[in-house]
């Protein structure tokens, strides 16, 4: 499926405002889909269709779970170069209605074969499983197909 067909399919489940904050949307509107990595869009579509449950990314009160930019609060306060997968359009943080983040990560690991690319999942923050799912498509050669990492 080409990029435009993929975006059309993703739009059946998500609005661009779930992927970008209000500032990016005000400037780019629907064209903001251009900022997202093909594999990331494919991954969220696989997860959404596979689980058949609603997924929440950005909301009116949570605006930095998708694309982050130089004025995003999380980024703007950085003192060193910050090149996270979120800034590159290769990451999303989300929750799945009715599922714990740990159960979603387990589902993704069990269904690794549905992804024809590598993905990374944030797992623990200060030793405790995080309460959201972070997925990104940063490809590092040494990582396994579904790679869990801690922050």
């Amino acid at each position: 499926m080409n990029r435009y067909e993929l975006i059309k399919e993703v739009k059946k489940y998500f609005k661009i405002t779930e992927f970008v904050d209000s500032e990016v949307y005000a400037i780019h509107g629907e064209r903001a889909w251009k900022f997202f990595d093909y594999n990331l869009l494919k991954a969220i579509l696989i997860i959404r269709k596979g689980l058949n449950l609603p997924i929440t990314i950005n909301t009116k009160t949570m605006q930095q779970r998708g694309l982050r930019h130089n004025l995003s609060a999380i980024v703007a306060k950085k003192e060193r170069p910050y090149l996270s997968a979120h800034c590159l359009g290769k990451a999303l943080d989300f929750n799945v209605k009715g599922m714990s983040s740990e159960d979603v990560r387990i589902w993704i690991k069990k269904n690794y074969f549905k992804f024809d690319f590598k993905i990374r999942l944030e797992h623990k923050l200060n030793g405790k499983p995080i309460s959201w799912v972070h997925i990104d498509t940063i490809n590092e050669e040494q990582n396994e197909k579904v790679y869990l990492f801690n922050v």
Side-chain angles (χ1 to χ4, degrees):
M1 144 179 3
N2 70 38
R3 181 174 179 77
Y4 302 104
E5 293 167 337
L6 175 61
I7 291 170
K8 185 177 179 181
E9 190 69 17
V10 171
K11 285 179 172 184
K12 292 178 182 178
Y13 303 97
F14 300 97
K15 295 176 181 160
I16 190 60
T17 53
E18 296 177 78
F19 285 72
V20 300
D21 66 16
S22 54
E23 289 86 2
V24 170
Y25 185 75
I27 296 167
H28 297 280
E30 288 295 315
R31 294 183 345 259
W33 289 108
K34 67 186 173 187
F35 297 120
F36 291 92
D37 177 63
Y38 179 91
N39 287 340
L40 180 67
L41 295 175
K42 194 171 176 184
I44 199 66
L45 185 61
I46 289 167
I47 295 164
R48 176 60 180 84
K49 285 179 154 184
L51 294 175
N52 196 29
L53 293 168
I55 291 176
T56 302
I57 306 170
N58 281 343
T59 66
K60 288 183 180 183
T61 58
M62 293 185 294
Q63 290 276 304
Q64 297 184 52
R65 292 166 43 117
L67 185 69
R68 295 180 187 158
H69 52 80
N70 63 317
L71 300 179
S72 297
I74 291 174
V75 178
K77 63 184 175 185
K78 299 292 183 187
E79 295 178 10
R80 296 177 16 181
Y82 184 73
L83 296 170
S84 81
H86 285 277
C87 295
L88 301 172
K90 293 177 173 270
L92 296 171
D93 296 335
F94 64 92
N95 295 91
V96 177
K97 186 174 185 174
M99 290 184 75
S100 72
S101 58
E102 195 65 21
D103 286 342
V104 174
R105 286 189 284 275
I106 290 167
W107 183 90
I108 292 169
K109 282 195 67 95
K110 284 183 181 176
N111 288 275
Y112 71 92
F113 58 89
K114 294 183 180 197
F115 303 88
D116 57 356
F117 46 88
K118 290 182 177 186
I119 57 174
R120 299 181 338 141
L121 301 170
E122 232 172 54
H123 187 222
K124 294 181 180 179
L125 174 64
N126 299 322
K128 296 180 181 178
I130 57 174
S131 60
W132 64 89
V133 179
H134 165 99
I135 187 169
D136 72 53
T137 55
I138 295 292
N139 185 341
E140 296 189 58
E141 186 178 348
Q142 74 275 12
N143 292 353
E144 55 195 69
K145 180 89 172 264
V146 178
Y147 177 74
L148 274 66
F149 67 98
N150 301 323
V151 290

